[in-house]
């Protein structure tokens, strides 16, 4: 049994949790949060438990990367909280199943991971035949290949080729470069800081999680794709507001 909520698929729910948990964590740790801690902390605990119940290893990895970067850039307390959570997971008997499931995935021992490896191999064959523009969204022209793979990057390359994949990755990388450069100049403890951190690191975590799943670019899950671009939009607005704030501060200083 895996948690799905209203997202149809547990991996899609895991992807949703990457976004909302990253945002909520930044709010819970910020000195001037937009959302009060009396609400954000219970929300965060609920999201964490829900993430565990999805058993989505790709989503867990994406969230771990997002929170690690958040701790590295601003909130060092995340590392201590993370150590406590990991310790509890190793000590509590019910968590042993989850840890075993995660380790089996890393080692490639379980059936789901082995099937993913097969999908990757088949996807590379299809991409090698139609590398530039892909095969579109309807299906493959060859009887010995199929459309679909558990990786957003390989799926885009299948459907839109190298050009489409380059446009997708280039757009996301451009956003992240702009966000990280703005974070370096963002006034500490401002209300904009957790919003900027939460949005840009949510996108970074989703990009990592997308290596092991396809929900961010799948017509069967349009809400997941919409959430990605909504997060990029919120992050872009945050970047603009931070830059305006910094510019106004510099003018007043002169």
């Amino acid at each position: 049994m895996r948690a799905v909520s209203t997202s149809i698929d547990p991996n899609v729910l895991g992807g949703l949790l990457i976004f909302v948990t990253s945002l909520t964590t930044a709010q819970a740790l910020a000195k001037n949060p937009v959302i009060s801690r009396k609400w954000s902390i219970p929300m965060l605990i609920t999201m964490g438990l829900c993430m565990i119940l999805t058993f989505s290893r790709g989503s867990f990895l994406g969230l771990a990367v997002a929170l690690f970067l958040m701790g590295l850039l601003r909130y060092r307390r995340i590392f201590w909280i993370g150590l406590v959570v990991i310790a509890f997971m190793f000590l509590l008997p019910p968590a042993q199943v989850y840890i075993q499931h995660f380790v089996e995935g890393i080692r490639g021992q379980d059936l789901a991971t082995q099937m993913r490896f097969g999908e990757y191999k088949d996807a590379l064959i299809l991409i090698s035949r139609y590398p530039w523009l892909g095969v579109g969204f309807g299906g493959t022209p060859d009887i010995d290949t199929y459309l679909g793979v558990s990786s957003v990057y390989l799926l885009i390359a299948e459907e839109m080729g190298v050009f489409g994949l380059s446009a997708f990755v280039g757009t996301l990388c451009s956003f992240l470069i702009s966000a990280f450069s703005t974070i370096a100049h963002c006034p500490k403890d401002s209300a904009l800081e957790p919003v900027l951190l939460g949005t840009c690191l949510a996108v970074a975590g989703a990009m990592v999680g997308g290596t092991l799943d396809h929900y961010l670019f799948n017509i069967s899950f349009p809400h997941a794709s919409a959430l990605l671009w909504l997060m990029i939009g919120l992050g872009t607005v945050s970047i603009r507001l931070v830059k305006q704030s910094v510019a106004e501060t510099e003018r007043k200083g002169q």
Side-chain angles (χ1 to χ4, degrees):
M1 297 293 293
R2 302 172 64 186
V4 296
S5 185
T6 57
S7 294
I8 305 172
D9 183 276
N11 293 322
V12 179
L13 175 58
L16 166 66
L17 289 169
I18 292 176
F19 292 114
V20 295
T21 306
S22 299
L23 280 172
T24 308
T25 300
Q27 290 294 320
L29 296 175
K31 289 189 176 181
N32 294 300
V34 177
I35 302 174
S36 173
R37 287 190 183 86
K38 69 178 181 180
W39 301 112
S40 62
I41 292 177
M43 289 162 58
L44 191 58
I45 294 171
T46 304
M47 292 172 191
L49 292 173
C50 192
M51 174 64 85
I52 292 173
L53 293 175
T54 65
F55 279 83
S56 178
R57 290 169 293 201
S59 299
F60 187 87
L61 178 62
L63 179 60
V65 170
L67 297 183
F68 176 80
L69 291 174
M70 192 177 295
L72 203 63
L73 291 170
R74 278 290 191 272
Y75 308 125
R76 300 291 191 272
R77 286 172 289 173
I78 289 181
F79 296 135
W80 297 107
I81 297 171
L83 288 174
V84 173
V85 171
I86 292 172
F88 270 107
M89 291 187 68
F90 275 100
L91 292 174
L92 295 176
Q96 299 302 314
V97 177
Y98 189 86
I99 294 171
Q100 182 181 357
H101 180 65
F102 196 84
V103 171
E104 286 177 351
I106 294 174
R107 294 179 176 177
Q109 295 176 337
D110 66 331
L111 180 60
T113 304
Q114 293 171 3
M115 290 176 64
R116 269 193 169 92
F117 290 156
E119 288 181 355
Y120 297 159
K121 179 181 177 182
D122 295 340
L124 291 173
I125 292 173
L126 178 59
I127 294 167
S128 66
R129 294 180 184 177
Y130 307 94
W132 303 115
L133 298 176
V135 298
F137 300 88
T140 62
D142 301 329
I143 195 171
D144 61 333
T145 58
Y146 59 92
L147 189 60
V149 57
S150 295
S151 171
V152 66
Y153 306 106
L154 291 177
L155 181 62
I156 293 175
E158 283 184 341
E159 296 176 337
M160 300 175 63
V162 173
F163 291 131
L165 179 60
S166 300
F168 179 78
V169 174
T171 301
L172 267 60
C173 287
S174 175
F175 165 74
L176 290 178
I177 290 170
S178 178
F180 285 127
S181 63
T182 305
I183 288 172
H185 301 93
C186 180
K188 290 187 177 182
D189 303 332
S190 68
L192 287 172
E193 182 185 50
V195 178
L196 177 58
L197 273 173
T199 51
C200 77
L201 295 181
V203 173
M207 289 182 69
V208 174
T211 59
L212 300 175
D213 223 311
H214 53 69
Y215 49 80
L216 292 176
F217 197 84
N218 190 318
I219 58 176
S220 299
F221 308 113
H223 56 293
S225 299
L227 186 59
L228 170 65
W229 297 109
L230 174 63
M231 199 63 57
I232 291 174
L234 290 172
T236 302
V237 172
S238 301
I239 291 170
R240 180 173 296 180
L241 291 175
V242 169
K243 288 182 177 179
Q244 289 177 354
S245 176
V246 171
E248 289 176 2
T249 302
E250 290 177 350
R251 284 198 299 268
K252 289 179 181 178
Q254 292 175 354

